[in-house]
Structure formats: structure tokens, C-alpha cells
């Protein structure tokens, strides 16, 4: 929990430092995260960090690790479930959730079909 609080403090300090820079620039603070925040509940206090972040970037890709058959890299049901964890469960505004989506695919060798 100490690391969780320290990370939130770092995000808060980063936001404050950029706000106080006074150089006329508009800064945004974002944080790349897992598509399923409940998987990292012990490491991040996302609800607390939301106060200081412009947006979270849930990484909605590489969801087909370890499979030997072709599957979507970012299945829509998984994306929807992940976004719901942010918006419904953690009460993070949908305007603070920007999905990171894949623009690539994995290759899966085809079976020759011969017995």
C-alpha cells in the first residue's frame, strides 16, 4: 500500500509541477494501464490518481497470449468489460478513458488439413 500511495503522490506532484510551470503551455498527464484495472488493485489507486490525470490509457491489446489458435487480439467483449471496470466500478469518467488499440496482428500457422 505504501507504493500505491507513493505512486499517487508522484502523479499529484507531476500535475502540480506542470500546472505551476507558468510557461503558457498546456500539459496533459496520462497513465498507461492494464485493460483490467482490478488485476492491479494492489499496485495502483486509480480512483485517486484520476483526480490528477487527464486520462488513463488502458492497453486493450495482446489479449491472445499463449493461444495456439487464431483469436482476436482485442476481443470487443473483453474491451467492454475492461472499460466497465474503469467507468462503472471505479467511477472514472468515460472522458478520462482513452483505449490503446492494436494496429497489428499475430500470425498463426495454418494446419495443412492432411491427417
Amino acid at each position: 500500500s505504501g507504493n500505491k500511495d507513493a505512486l499517487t503522490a508522484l502523479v499529484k506532484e507531476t500535475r502540480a509541477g506542470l500546472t505551476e510551470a507558468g510557461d503558457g503551455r498546456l500539459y496533459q498527464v496520462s497513465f498507461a494501464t492494464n485493460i483490467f484495472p482490478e488485476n492491479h488493485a494492489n499496485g495502483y489507486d486509480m480512483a485517486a490518481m484520476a483526480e490528477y490525470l487527464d486520462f488513463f490509457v488502458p492497453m486493450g491489446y495482446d489479449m491472445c497470449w499463449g493461444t495456439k489458435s487464431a483469436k482476436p487480439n482485442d476481443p470487443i467483449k473483453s474491451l467492454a468489460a475492461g472499460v466497465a471496470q474503469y467507468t462503472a466500478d471505479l467511477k472514472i469518467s468515460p472522458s478520462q478513458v482513452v483505449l490503446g488499440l492494436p494496429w497489428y496482428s499475430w500470425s498463426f500457422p495454418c494446419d495443412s488439413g492432411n491427417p
Side-chain angles (χ1 to χ4, degrees):
S1 176
N3 287 338
K4 184 189 298 191
D5 294 338
L7 178 59
T8 301
L10 175 64
V11 171
K12 180 180 179 180
E13 183 179 329
T14 300
R15 164 60 67 201
L18 292 173
T19 300
E20 294 169 6
D23 60 5
R25 296 181 183 176
L26 177 64
Y27 294 96
Q28 291 183 326
V29 182
S30 64
F31 195 82
T33 57
N34 188 300
I35 187 67
F36 301 111
E38 69 182 20
N39 292 349
H40 295 283
N42 292 332
Y44 307 137
D45 187 344
M46 295 199 191
M49 289 193 306
E51 182 178 344
Y52 311 107
L53 293 173
D54 291 293
F55 50 90
F56 290 91
V57 184
M59 297 175 284
Y61 48 85
D62 283 346
M63 294 183 185
C64 60
W65 275 113
T67 184
K68 294 189 182 206
S69 59
K71 295 182 179 182
N73 199 7
D74 62 340
I76 191 70
K77 288 183 181 181
S78 295
L79 291 174
V83 169
Q85 286 182 17
Y86 284 88
T87 58
D89 299 349
L90 295 174
K91 307 293 186 229
I92 293 172
S93 170
S95 67
Q96 283 184 278
V97 180
V98 177
L99 285 175
L101 298 174
W103 290 101
Y104 62 90
S105 64
W106 292 98
S107 64
F108 293 92
C110 293
D111 189 354
S112 67
N114 297 326

